[in-house]
Amino acid sequence: MDKIEIIYSFLKKRSDKIRYFSFFSLITIFLLLLTVVYKNDQIISTTKKDYVESSDLKSIKKFLLKKIKSPFFDVDYKIKSGDSIQKILKKLNVEDGEIQKLITEYKKYGNPNQLLKGNIINIVISEEVQDKKKKIIQFSVPISESTTIEISKDESDEIVAKKIITKLYKKKVLAENIILNSLYKSAVDVKVNAETIIEFARIFGFEIDFQRDIRKNDYFKIVYDKYMDEKGEFIKSGTIHFAQMIVNGREITLYKFGNDKDYGYFDTNGKSVEKALMKTPINGARLSSPFGMRKHPILGYNKKHLGTDFAAPMGTPIMASGSGTVLLAKWCGGGGNCVKIKHNSVYETIYAHMKSFAKGIRAGKKVRQGQIIGYVGSTGMSTGPHLHYEVIVNGKKVNSQTLKLPSGKILKDNERKLFEIHRIKTDVLIAELVAQKK
């Protein structure tokens, strides 16, 4: 049901419909009388049936239309930081009873206090003529890139919600490029989206230090899923099926293997690339202060630096270097906003001076390796935006850059056979995608 049908249905139910009908009828009769007078005063050509309205008649029509005050308001509201459904509708003076009914319906599909900043909510509101109370006719809000919740009045004048999902079409795509400045820029140049770049860097984060290992003219290739809408427009990215990098003459080729819920990335020999911790939990940064003795930049005296600092632009995403449980996510004094993660009985990591925490990051939260947990800032005792990163092994803080981590899983027996079949199929797919690009 579109907006016109909704508004018309709403008007039909109201006791004052006779008044609106009478008012519009009087206006119509008045305009017809004016038209008759106008025609009688003009010379009407026998070869031309239509006529041009006089400026006086146009002025009268304009004046009358201004006097017709519609009881409906159509608002396109842009969601701001901290907005909730209740706050937005309160601003628009919608009565409390209507707000609560709408929120109750909305809760069937989403959290009314967690709206996507920057998205547009379309709201149609009516104002009762007698008591000036404002009520909801329609409320439409995107809750993701492909899903919208639409709330409107049904035939019984009750508020009802429904979820509208845009149908998505999945296709596998291949992207490759030579790295001239950074992996990020080279990937963006061939239209790889940010989320896929972060996941690509996470996969290789066990083998490559993106701050120090990358050289000009290194190379990458990636095969991943893209989800498009019915118009062919990109909506979101999906799984990475194949990833390859040639870094300083060293070639690393990885294949996704496993089901959608439990999978890993393995090299051509069936060895998992994943280790307990990633080498670096941040991309696009430079090592600004290593582990060891140094002169403290604020305190001014020599003090042992028990972590590694990575300078990066404000707001750069910070990843969990390994899967585990968040022990704390709070203000840590000189460390500013910090997160501590327990990965297993041996390893713990600390991330300090954050600008802010990622959504949902709190004590007790389970996180996966590579998940964004916060953003680079300069909180606490800090001279500029950077990440202070610590690795703790059996209770002792160690140098994360020289730490030797255990190798990943090696596929054997039947798993190895299945992997070899999967690897061959993936190689055939890549050859087809390369042929399509030519």
Short mmCIF file of all heavy atoms in Angstrom, two decimals, residues 12 14 35 37 63 123 128 171 177 242 268 291 335 438:
data_model
loop_
_atom_site.label_atom_id
_atom_site.label_comp_id
_atom_site.label_asym_id
_atom_site.label_seq_id
_atom_site.Cartn_x
_atom_site.Cartn_y
_atom_site.Cartn_z
N LYS A 12 -10.89 8.15 5.04
CA LYS A 12 -12.22 7.53 4.93
C LYS A 12 -12.79 7.17 6.28
O LYS A 12 -14.01 7.18 6.48
CB LYS A 12 -12.11 6.27 4.06
CG LYS A 12 -12.17 6.56 2.57
CD LYS A 12 -11.96 5.30 1.74
CE LYS A 12 -13.00 4.28 2.07
NZ LYS A 12 -12.84 3.04 1.31
N ARG A 14 -12.40 8.70 9.11
CA ARG A 14 -12.59 9.83 10.02
C ARG A 14 -13.99 10.46 9.89
O ARG A 14 -14.54 10.58 8.79
CB ARG A 14 -11.52 10.89 9.80
CG ARG A 14 -10.11 10.40 10.13
CD ARG A 14 -10.05 10.05 11.60
NE ARG A 14 -8.72 9.60 11.98
CZ ARG A 14 -8.38 8.33 12.04
NH1 ARG A 14 -9.23 7.39 11.72
NH2 ARG A 14 -7.15 8.01 12.41
N THR A 35 -14.14 30.16 -14.21
CA THR A 35 -13.78 29.76 -15.57
C THR A 35 -14.85 30.20 -16.57
O THR A 35 -14.56 30.68 -17.66
CB THR A 35 -13.62 28.23 -15.63
OG1 THR A 35 -12.64 27.83 -14.69
CG2 THR A 35 -13.18 27.78 -17.02
N VAL A 37 -16.99 32.73 -16.23
CA VAL A 37 -16.89 34.18 -16.38
C VAL A 37 -15.74 34.54 -17.30
O VAL A 37 -15.85 35.39 -18.18
CB VAL A 37 -16.70 34.86 -15.00
CG1 VAL A 37 -16.40 36.33 -15.16
CG2 VAL A 37 -17.94 34.65 -14.16
N PHE A 63 -4.03 31.25 -4.17
CA PHE A 63 -4.47 31.72 -2.86
C PHE A 63 -5.33 30.66 -2.17
O PHE A 63 -5.18 30.37 -0.98
CB PHE A 63 -5.26 33.02 -3.02
CG PHE A 63 -5.92 33.48 -1.75
CD1 PHE A 63 -5.20 34.10 -0.75
CD2 PHE A 63 -7.29 33.28 -1.55
CE1 PHE A 63 -5.80 34.52 0.41
CE2 PHE A 63 -7.90 33.70 -0.39
CZ PHE A 63 -7.16 34.32 0.60
N ILE A 123 8.64 9.25 7.49
CA ILE A 123 7.56 9.26 8.47
C ILE A 123 6.39 10.07 7.92
O ILE A 123 6.56 11.20 7.47
CB ILE A 123 8.01 9.89 9.81
CG1 ILE A 123 9.35 9.27 10.27
CG2 ILE A 123 6.95 9.72 10.87
CD1 ILE A 123 9.99 10.01 11.42
N GLU A 128 -4.81 15.49 14.20
CA GLU A 128 -6.26 15.56 14.35
C GLU A 128 -6.71 17.03 14.41
O GLU A 128 -6.12 17.84 15.13
CB GLU A 128 -6.70 14.83 15.62
CG GLU A 128 -6.43 13.33 15.59
CD GLU A 128 -7.26 12.62 14.56
OE1 GLU A 128 -8.45 12.96 14.42
OE2 GLU A 128 -6.72 11.74 13.87
N LYS A 171 27.52 -13.40 -6.55
CA LYS A 171 28.41 -13.84 -7.62
C LYS A 171 29.86 -13.80 -7.13
O LYS A 171 30.22 -12.98 -6.28
CB LYS A 171 28.25 -12.98 -8.88
CG LYS A 171 28.73 -11.54 -8.75
CD LYS A 171 28.65 -10.85 -10.11
CE LYS A 171 29.20 -9.42 -10.03
NZ LYS A 171 29.18 -8.76 -11.35
N ASN A 177 45.88 -6.82 -8.41
CA ASN A 177 46.55 -5.55 -8.71
C ASN A 177 47.99 -5.61 -8.19
O ASN A 177 48.33 -6.43 -7.33
CB ASN A 177 45.81 -4.38 -8.05
CG ASN A 177 46.06 -3.07 -8.76
OD1 ASN A 177 46.80 -3.01 -9.74
ND2 ASN A 177 45.45 -2.00 -8.28
N PHE A 242 39.65 -17.45 -2.10
CA PHE A 242 41.03 -17.65 -2.51
C PHE A 242 41.78 -16.34 -2.28
O PHE A 242 41.25 -15.25 -2.55
CB PHE A 242 41.08 -18.03 -4.00
CG PHE A 242 42.46 -18.04 -4.60
CD1 PHE A 242 43.25 -19.17 -4.54
CD2 PHE A 242 42.96 -16.91 -5.24
CE1 PHE A 242 44.52 -19.19 -5.11
CE2 PHE A 242 44.23 -16.91 -5.81
CZ PHE A 242 45.02 -18.05 -5.74
N THR A 268 48.95 -24.49 -0.22
CA THR A 268 48.86 -25.57 -1.21
C THR A 268 49.22 -26.93 -0.63
O THR A 268 48.88 -27.96 -1.21
CB THR A 268 49.77 -25.25 -2.41
OG1 THR A 268 51.10 -24.99 -1.93
CG2 THR A 268 49.27 -24.05 -3.18
N PHE A 291 59.29 -2.44 21.59
CA PHE A 291 59.34 -2.99 22.93
C PHE A 291 60.75 -2.75 23.52
O PHE A 291 61.75 -2.89 22.82
CB PHE A 291 59.05 -4.49 22.85
CG PHE A 291 58.94 -5.18 24.18
CD1 PHE A 291 57.71 -5.36 24.79
CD2 PHE A 291 60.08 -5.68 24.82
CE1 PHE A 291 57.62 -6.03 26.01
CE2 PHE A 291 59.99 -6.33 26.04
CZ PHE A 291 58.75 -6.51 26.64
N GLY A 335 46.48 4.55 30.19
CA GLY A 335 46.24 3.83 28.93
C GLY A 335 45.00 4.29 28.21
O GLY A 335 44.71 3.80 27.10
N LYS A 438 39.12 -11.15 -19.83
CA LYS A 438 39.86 -10.84 -21.07
C LYS A 438 38.92 -10.42 -22.20
O LYS A 438 37.77 -10.76 -22.22
CB LYS A 438 40.70 -12.06 -21.49
CG LYS A 438 41.85 -12.34 -20.52
CD LYS A 438 42.65 -13.53 -20.97
CE LYS A 438 43.83 -13.81 -20.02
NZ LYS A 438 44.62 -14.98 -20.42
#
